[in-house]
Amino acid sequence: MRSEEDNRSARARGIEVRPLPTARRLAIGADRAGRHRSTMHYLMRADVTAARRLMAMSPETLSLTGFVTASVARVAAEHPTVHAYRDWRGRLIVHRHVDVMVPVQAERESRTVPHVVRDADQRDVTRTSTELLAAESASTAGVFERFPLLARTPGLVRTVYTVLDRSVRLRQRMGTVMVTTTGMHDVGEAFGVPASTLMPLHVVIGSVSGCPHQAGNVIEQHDILNLTLVFDHGLVGEAEAARFATRLCSAIEHAEVLHPLRTRKPWRQAVVPQPPRASQTASVNGAHDR
């Protein structure tokens, strides 16, 4: 009882005034610029037991974020309308390529730096994981981080994000898909629900929780990944979003990006064998007669 009274007497009451960090100002500007979007959220769970086993057996260093990024990019390439956007004239812009923005945690400074993975739909998990790991150590400060006074200018941050939202040229630099992680592991079932975003497609990696799975007479412990998918409801309908979510869940559970030879077959157009022509049949029969 006396120790509690001593601690209370040692603590001084009062307030401390600190400047708002630049990163929080940028987050507020992005949220205000993206309020015009009518977002649609999908909460899904995918079994990543097979994927984590394959990544553990790989000699390279593979990350779960790199695996999800590669999976999202390849499925988004199959459904390009889920990451489409509108330009200044209201036209629908659809990219044939998929550039994914992944915020990484800088090692030197305690801040998050956005990194864009170019042509992520054509990269494997090894290249994506290596690039994200290198981006953490080689991160550079942006314009607003180098000049904090610009972020305090009223309306400037919101104007910049509004231009980024509509400009086709800038979209080709910043990407159309975002994959973020909550950093929560072994905390049970946890989903991350983001605020308004400028990206047409936003995937949030939640926690990985264990779940018993029965295969025949054997009960195994499987790893379940919690994901949150955010779509622009003004451009993507419920049916297209459901197809994308179903396809993404299947790609993650079957670890398709870790089997490049297997994933190429469904993407190719099926070739129907044609019956041989009469001249070809005659030549073949003549060869057999000889």
Side-chain angles (χ1 to χ4, degrees), residues 57-70:
M57 293 186 298
S58 176
E60 294 86 2
T61 302
L62 305 181
S63 63
L64 183 61
T65 304
F67 167 73
V68 176
T69 300

Side-chain angles (χ1 to χ4, degrees), residues 75-96:
V75 179
E78 300 177 6
H79 302 268
T81 56
V82 297
H83 61 102
Y85 59 94
R86 293 187 302 170
D87 62 355
W88 294 104
R89 300 174 58 181
R91 299 174 299 182
L92 188 65
I93 307 300
V94 182
H95 286 199
R96 291 192 297 266

Side-chain angles (χ1 to χ4, degrees), residues 112-165:
T112 304
V113 180
H115 177 76
V116 180
V117 181
R118 305 292 180 188
D119 298 322
D121 56 319
Q122 297 181 355
R123 294 175 178 265
D124 55 4
V125 184
T126 303
R127 294 178 58 187
T128 303
S129 301
T130 304
E131 182 176 344
L132 294 178
L133 184 61
E136 295 179 359
S137 57
S139 59
T140 57
V143 177
F144 289 102
E145 285 80 4
R146 288 179 291 179
F147 304 98
L149 294 179
L150 294 178
R152 300 181 183 180
T153 305
L156 179 59
V157 176
R158 181 178 180 181
T159 303
V160 171
Y161 278 113
T162 302
V163 174
L164 292 175
D165 186 27

Side-chain angles (χ1 to χ4, degrees), residues 268-286:
R268 293 179 179 178
Q269 186 177 1
V271 179
V272 180
Q274 300 293 335
R277 298 179 181 177
S279 58
Q280 296 179 355
T281 305
S283 61
V284 171
N285 293 334

Side-chain angles (χ1 to χ4, degrees), residues 19-240:
L20 185 65
T22 304
R24 292 299 88 204
R25 294 182 182 273
L26 298 179
I28 294 174
D31 181 46
R32 291 178 178 177
R35 286 181 181 178
H36 68 281
R37 294 182 181 274
S38 178
T39 57
M40 178 173 51
H41 296 75
Y42 273 61
L43 304 180
M44 56 175 289
R45 306 178 67 197
D47 193 343
V48 293
T49 305
R52 298 188 77 176
R53 289 176 181 176
L54 292 176
M55 288 190 294
M57 293 186 298
S58 176
E60 294 86 2
T61 302
L62 305 181
S63 63
L64 183 61
T65 304
F67 167 73
V68 176
T69 300
S71 302
V72 170
R74 294 199 182 184
V75 179
E78 300 177 6
H79 302 268
T81 56
V82 297
H83 61 102
Y85 59 94
R86 293 187 302 170
D87 62 355
W88 294 104
R89 300 174 58 181
R91 299 174 299 182
L92 188 65
I93 307 300
V94 182
H95 286 199
R96 291 192 297 266
H97 58 278
V98 182
D99 294 340
V100 182
M101 176 182 290
V102 183
V104 297
Q105 187 69 26
E107 295 180 355
R108 301 177 181 178
E109 304 176 8
S110 58
R111 61 186 181 88
T112 304
V113 180
H115 177 76
V116 180
V117 181
R118 305 292 180 188
D119 298 322
D121 56 319
Q122 297 181 355
R123 294 175 178 265
D124 55 4
V125 184
T126 303
R127 294 178 58 187
T128 303
S129 301
T130 304
E131 182 176 344
L132 294 178
L133 184 61
E136 295 179 359
S137 57
S139 59
T140 57
V143 177
F144 289 102
E145 285 80 4
R146 288 179 291 179
F147 304 98
L149 294 179
L150 294 178
R152 300 181 183 180
T153 305
L156 179 59
V157 176
R158 181 178 180 181
T159 303
V160 171
Y161 278 113
T162 302
V163 174
L164 292 175
D165 186 27
R166 297 289 186 176
S167 176
V168 179
R169 181 177 300 180
L170 295 178
R171 276 289 184 185
Q172 294 179 354
R173 299 184 59 182
M174 63 180 294
T176 55
V177 181
M178 176 179 287
V179 175
T180 58
T181 177
T182 57
M184 297 183 295
H185 302 284
D186 300 332
V187 295
E189 299 182 5
F191 293 88
V193 181
S196 302
T197 177
L198 296 178
M199 291 296 178
L201 176 61
H202 190 179
V203 179
V204 183
I205 304 175
S207 63
V208 179
S209 58
C211 180
H213 177 77
Q214 184 176 1
N217 297 328
V218 180
I219 299 179
E220 300 178 349
Q221 189 76 4
H222 281 207
D223 298 331
I224 306 299
L225 175 63
N226 300 319
L227 292 175
T228 304
L229 310 182
V230 184
F231 302 92
D232 187 357
H233 197 195
L235 303 178
V236 181
E238 291 84 355
E240 182 67 19

